[in-house]
Amino acid sequence: MATTNPKGTRASAYRVAVTADVVRPDGSSVHGDLGFDRLVERGIDWSVLPGDAPVLPPEYFDDVDAVLVMGHTYFDAETVDRTPRLRHIARFGAGYETIDLDACTRAGVVVTNTPTAIRRTLSTAAVTMILGLTHHVVPKDRMVRESRWSDREHFRGVGLEGRTLGIVGFGSVGADVARLMQNFDMTILGTNRSGKSAAADELGVSLVSFEELLERSDVVLLTAALTPETTGMIDEAALARMKRSAFLVNVGRGKLVDTDALRDALLDGRIAGAGLDVFDPEPLTPNDPILGLDNVLLSPHALGWTDQFTDAVSTAALDAIIAIADGGRPDSVLNPEVFETEAWRAKVASD
């Protein structure tokens, strides 16, 4: 470990590494205060990893018990099989597509995430995208700044009352969006892998097939997790099923969408517009034609970054780290079967 705890405490029996993608060596973060003092108060040492890359050398974790993953660092068998001390990967956020759960389980590594903590901030980000896009907020703002008031007749907004919102990946975030958007008197459809949802039943949301959702929706919202099955799910064929008057909003993962197919659909007027907080590639290249379109609302994978987001997610992630360090079992364990493995028992026995 190349960096040291800025509090100056000696190395403790339990050590936590933090990935360096959005955290500086002193622990300050683009998200704000992450609350690392909580670890120090519990006698847990922490430090920020010296390098930032999608795949980090296994030796970075030779003397580490846990790693707080701030971005999308990969942890596959090649890494976790060569880190005999590592016992916990705590994901800051909900997505875990870069973490091989099966490999972690075999290696005796618990994986946790923070899905509940991101629910409201992501759902309000989705609502912001929907409202900003359908009301043409950005081009109208630009008109005023550039004294082009006469152009406003070309940007009449789209009312939502009686329109249909389709939520792809109807889980906790999707349910929260549905709860908020029902105030706009929209019909709400959802789709998910199981075809079942107690929240959908409670809210009166109809779960339908992916194809039916695309065909009926005036706004298609993506909140699905990224899996091999959902990668590229919004492709040319999916876009062709959507109404020409429909909008696509993605606050899930960039790779849910085939960017080339979306670009073509937007340029050809085959859908009305798009709101994107996530991209593939990320960031977009500076000359991408999407950047010049008035019917696209863009955010740099940060629309949900609020003070409440930071507080909720960091609290949940550190709660999980402290629980494992204390010999407990935190909420939101993605591979609970790990606790029954010999690899896990061996790591615990080494304390």
Side-chain angles (χ1 to χ4, degrees):
M1 306 288 290
T3 59
T4 59
N5 189 322
K7 296 296 182 181
T9 59
R10 65 180 177 82
S12 63
Y14 203 87
R15 302 196 67 194
V16 176
V18 184
T19 57
D21 29 22
V22 294
V23 180
R24 305 172 188 94
D26 64 356
S28 60
S29 162
V30 299
H31 294 296
D33 183 8
L34 299 176
F36 290 148
D37 283 352
R38 291 184 59 205
L39 299 180
V40 177
E41 290 166 1
R42 299 297 291 266
I44 298 173
D45 192 28
W46 64 267
S47 54
V48 179
L49 291 169
D52 173 23
V55 179
L56 297 173
E59 54 266 27
Y60 275 17
F61 309 102
D62 283 346
D63 59 352
V64 167
D65 298 283
V67 57
L68 177 58
V69 182
M70 299 298 301
H72 302 289
T73 306
Y74 282 81
F75 287 88
D76 56 12
E78 179 68 17
T79 299
V80 297
D81 287 347
R82 297 169 58 190
T83 55
R85 180 169 168 174
L86 184 66
R87 70 177 66 177
H88 182 196
I89 296 173
R91 176 73 173 88
F92 185 92
Y96 55 92
E97 65 272 9
T98 59
I99 301 172
D100 186 332
L101 291 183
D102 290 337
C104 288
T105 299
R106 291 193 302 270
V109 178
V110 179
V111 182
T112 60
N113 64 347
T114 62
T116 302
I118 70 162
R119 180 175 59 211
R120 178 49 59 93
T121 188
L122 198 57
S123 63
T124 53
V127 172
T128 299
M129 274 288 186
I130 293 169
L131 297 179
L133 186 62
T134 55
H135 284 271
H136 303 297
V137 169
V138 171
K140 286 176 177 176
D141 174 89
R142 193 179 302 122
M143 285 174 212
V144 175
R145 295 175 189 276
E146 297 174 359
S147 298
R148 293 186 294 106
W149 286 59
S150 61
D151 287 352
R152 61 188 177 179
E153 66 177 291
H154 304 299
F155 289 89
R156 187 173 61 169
V158 176
L160 297 177
E161 183 178 357
R163 294 290 184 10
T164 298
L165 168 64
I167 302 173
V168 180
F170 194 89
S172 62
V173 172
D176 204 41
V177 173
R179 194 171 288 109
L180 295 171
M181 293 306 295
Q182 282 182 332
N183 294 304
F184 293 87
D185 297 320
M186 297 189 78
T187 297
I188 301 178
L189 308 176
T191 186
N192 60 22
R193 285 175 291 182
S194 69
K196 301 176 182 179
S197 168
D201 295 339
E202 173 195 344
L203 295 166
V205 173
S206 298
L207 295 183
V208 299
S209 69
F210 177 55
E211 292 76 15
E212 181 179 349
L213 182 146
L214 293 174
E215 292 167 0
R216 292 177 56 187
S217 297
D218 298 292
V219 178
V220 174
L221 171 65
L222 306 181
T223 63
L226 185 64
T227 68
E229 293 73 30
T230 61
T231 298
M233 66 190 309
I234 302 298
D235 55 11
E236 183 178 358
L239 291 162
R241 287 184 177 273
M242 292 175 59
K243 301 175 184 180
R244 294 183 71 90
S245 59
F247 296 91
L248 177 72
V249 174
N250 188 8
V251 296
R253 285 287 185 260
K255 290 182 181 294
L256 296 173
V257 178
D258 179 332
T259 302
D260 292 336
L262 175 61
R263 184 187 301 107
D264 290 344
L266 290 167
L267 291 171
D268 294 344
R270 285 184 272 123
I271 63 171
L276 307 172
D277 184 46
V278 288
F279 307 89
D280 180 35
E282 195 167 293
L284 290 176
T285 58
N287 60 347
D288 194 308
I290 286 177
L291 299 175
L293 298 177
D294 279 331
N295 61 340
V296 179
L297 181 58
L298 305 171
S299 172
H301 202 155
L303 195 58
W305 288 10
T306 67
D307 54 348
Q308 293 177 340
F309 163 83
T310 300
D311 290 344
V313 177
S314 59
T315 295
L318 295 183
D319 281 348
I321 289 172
I322 291 168
I324 292 291
D326 287 347
R329 298 189 181 187
D331 297 331
S332 300
V333 175
L334 294 166
N335 58 338
E337 62 275 15
V338 70
F339 295 115
E340 307 306 319
T341 65
E342 289 300 323
W344 170 257
R345 293 191 186 100
K347 289 183 177 182
V348 173
S350 67
D351 290 344

